[in-house]
Amino acid sequence: MCMAEALLRIPDSKTQQRLVNEILTRGHWDEHLGSNTSLLVNASTWGLFFGSQMVEQPLLESKTAQNILQQISQRIGSKMAHTAMMQAVKLMAEHFVMGAEISDAIARAQVSRQQRVSFDCLGEAAQCQMDVDGYFAAYQDAIEQIGENCTKERLFDQFSISIKLSALHSRYDSFKQPQVMKELIPPLRKLIILAKQQHVQVTLDAEEADHLALSLQIFKTLWHDPTIKGWHGFGLAVQAYQKRALPLLKWLVALAKERKSRIPVRLVKGAYWDSEIKLAQQLGLDDYPVFTRKTATDISYLACANYMLQQSDSLYPQFATHNAHTITWILQASQGKTFEFQRLHGMGEALYQAINEIEPNAPPCRIYAPVGLHNRLLPYLVRRLLENGANSSFVNQMADQQVSDEALVSNPLSRFKQSAIHPLIKPAEIYAPERRNSKGLDLHCPNTIQRIQRAIDEHNKVAWQVAPLIKGIPQRGDSKPLYNPANHSDQIGQLIEANVEQVNLAYTISQKSLSEWQLTSIEQRATILNKCADLFEEQLPELMAHIIREAGRTLPDALSEVREAIDFLRYYAYQACSLQQASRDLPGPTGEQNQLALYGRGVITCISPWNFPLAIFTGQIAAALVVGNAVVAKPASATPLTAFAAIKLMHQAGIPSNTLQLIPGDSRIIGKALVDNPALAGIAFTGSLAGAQRINRSLANRQGAILPLIAETGGINIMLADSTALLDQLIPDLLTSAFNSAGQRCSALRVLIVQEEIAELVIDRLLACMDELKLGAPDQLATDIGPVISADALQTLQAYCDKMEKQVTLLHKVSLHNNEGHFMPPHLFEIPNLQVMSGETFGPVLHLLRYKGGELAQMIQQINAMGYGLTLGLHSRLQSTMQLVTTTAKVGNIYINRNMIGAVVGSQPFGGEGTSGTGPKAGGPYYLQRFAHERTVSINTTAIGGNTELLGR
Ligand code: NAD
């Protein structure tokens, strides 16, 4: 039964209702504050609950309601249709902003005799303290000026203000909860107290779903503040598209009752729908935090509105809507309760005018009025256009003459015929039918963090022993300690390194295993890879613990690393089966059969770096195995423990232990043996250019067959930013690209080349934002930057920075207070040209170079002349610039208007050209072929007694 039917029939509504009530009355909501997952699990329960509310209130079927709706529609429908385009143009200009300054906006409101106006200071989230100070001053000034224009009479008949919490803290994120609570509450408290004194009602605006729990903690803390106690002017916006909307309202009612105060609640549908959907897909979450169908949101809105009206002793309902059906429904349901409507400045004017003409006693409508300079308008405007311009939006449909009045004003419940979740876009299914998306974890959920923390604690208790695994048997030998790069005194285990004899033994056994392994079908091998992916998924926290403690990766990085490994396994499993199908008959003259097929080459050696100790390690091995090779796997010396854990799971999944051997060790000791062995059939290498060149030379010196080398190496990665770059977008992308994983990603940004007109602005913001970065223990959520991998790496980086300080301008160096491990503070140098860049600097060191407008083409030539070609970023609004860069830059992966790290398997196949790699790209459609021999078979069918094909004609 689909959800719509369930909503209409509710055969089991009592049970559902009881369940909901139980969860709510036991205070689970409060306990689960911040626990997205647990609430999401209950999403269908909430959905049914909305249904039960609706069925008890079938007001939409009332004749009066239909009548009013049709009148509204007739009065404004055609007008809207004809002016739809004009409306959009107006929106794009000043129409959406009430005034550049708060004084202008107040004056404009007064001229139009509007007293119910909620002023909103335009702007996006603060990125640094400079922004926070600016927004705080703007809010303070606004409250004072608004207050001067308010009387001390009825609070809700006055001007009010909306405050965006993310504007008041530069790291507004639940990962930073303790810091945010400590630093944001005092200034916010000041603003609320000022607003109370000035008699100005405040609403905390709603933002992205993963901010919700943090916003509620803040609201709750201030709600209990004795200075604010008893004041009815402190309110919150609630988004109906959130599956948590109704429980959230219940939570607010409970808060209001505790204090015997009324909370003003602005009910909106929600403006971040597309980004919520995208994020949930990227994170591989179990479900979306928001409804995927617009109709479900419409129903949720009505259910929430109904509840708010029922609870109007505790809540002051402020219904923000431009939907005539919603308005009418509320008018019908309200039965004399006090509330207000709200609309955006520049929208819905005709609609509310029509309502007032039909229903002169309709409650008042407050205008949500953005204030600010037009350069701050763009993101706000885009959100509004997406929200109201979507095909499913009422405003859009009203302007569409194809949509009949009946359809326009129909009951969303009766429209709700399909299931609540859009079948095509479940996060797990975005790569269907090829493969399942790797499952993510919601790191904003405290339960999830506890689970990972437990895995890390358990990891801590084990004395890990890593040794060469030959035929699955750990080999004996002398061991040496392995340390956590974030903490000198944390010994995580012991490593027995392989010797030359063990390398040779591994080759002998691998080669012997080949015939049996090659007898298995590709489908069988693919099934084993998929099984392995499932095991990785089951062991996700444990694998993360390895990566965090051994490679110093932060929690989010470790999570994405495991997911990438899982994606590689499933992607290559699928690709191998497709290749098998492509091994097919080829065309030719009659009387001849031609067939092409792929076969494993033999024993492939997979040599991987420490900076992706699981993903690259697994990807290389999976690709080699699935096409029928045996593998000798050589992990990086710094990360053998993660590799050991992965091999164990691969064997458990069904890869024979004599087909896959692990040889951890020092390349200075076993490197030659690895490359010289006669059984070797090819090498997949990822690491430094120097390492690849050494191996290449050794291979060239071998007698006999010329073996393939797939080498993925480093680069000097550039980001170009022209004067049209949007700073709000550019700066976070710079920080992520250059400093995430302490700059130890092959794709990491090394040089920002910025057009001189915006260079100073960029530098100012970049410096301020660099100071916001937190270096520290990678197992702490609040940490942005973990350690570099080793004492040697740290020393090399420090020596490089010392040398650069003497040669070029040091623009900034973050002050560092962590000497427990190998921590390198982020640096920013200004360089005069690209020639000063001598090679790859593998750490959090960014260089900046200015270029003159008009010289972009020369700049690209210089970049190409460096010889590397791994990643390149571009921030520009100009199509012509995008075209120029994408057609002339000789680079493997180009990223436009986004950060330049975190390539996704199958979506962004990864690998460079020039001195950055040989290709084919990992995670791309041409990778597997390189691990295979192609063999054709041609049979002359006429030679053995006649061509039956011709005879049959
Ligand atoms: P590295 O070259 O020091 O080591 C890589 C691996 O090669 C290690 O397992 C090492 O033991 C082995 N190795 C090195 N020389 C060898 C030899 N002569 N014979 C056999 N094995 C040998 O690199 P690293 O420090 O581990 O990793 C960082 C480097 O990897 C950076 O340059 C980075 O840009 C690059 N990288 C590239 C990609 C990519 O996809 N292009 C991805 C990750 C890392």
Side-chain angles (χ1 to χ4, degrees), residues 177-241:
Q177 181 163 337
Q179 184 193 352
V180 173
M181 298 293 285
K182 187 165 153 246
E183 295 171 358
L184 187 143
I185 291 199
L188 180 63
R189 185 171 173 274
K190 260 193 198 166
L191 292 177
I192 310 287
I193 291 172
L194 179 67
K196 185 182 169 196
Q197 286 160 356
Q198 297 287 329
H199 211 56
V200 177
Q201 190 239 304
V202 174
T203 301
L204 300 187
D205 264 332
E207 301 186 48
E208 288 86 347
D210 54 21
H211 289 169
L212 180 64
L214 180 57
S215 305
L216 297 185
Q217 287 287 8
I218 291 166
F219 184 83
K220 184 177 166 183
T221 308
L222 283 168
W223 180 253
H224 287 117
D225 191 293
T227 354
I228 298 160
K229 185 182 167 187
W231 186 49
H232 304 298
F234 182 39
L236 191 73
V238 172
Q239 298 153 318
Y241 70 8

Side-chain angles (χ1 to χ4, degrees), residues 466 480-485 492 494-495 497 543 546-553 561 607-618 633-647 662-665 686 744 788-790:
V466 183
K480 66 175 205 182
L482 294 168
Y483 288 99
N484 179 343
I492 55 176
Q494 298 274 342
L495 166 69
E497 291 187 310
L543 289 170
H546 284 303
I547 296 167
I548 291 165
R549 288 191 72 223
E550 189 180 41
R553 289 297 207 226
E561 163 105 26
I607 304 178
S608 49
W610 56 267
N611 69 330
F612 286 95
L614 187 71
I616 292 181
F617 180 77
T618 303
K634 148 81 181 79
S637 314
T639 52
L641 178 51
T642 307
F644 189 79
I647 294 283
L662 177 72
I663 295 294
T686 307
Q744 301 167 110
V788 296
I789 190 67
S790 63

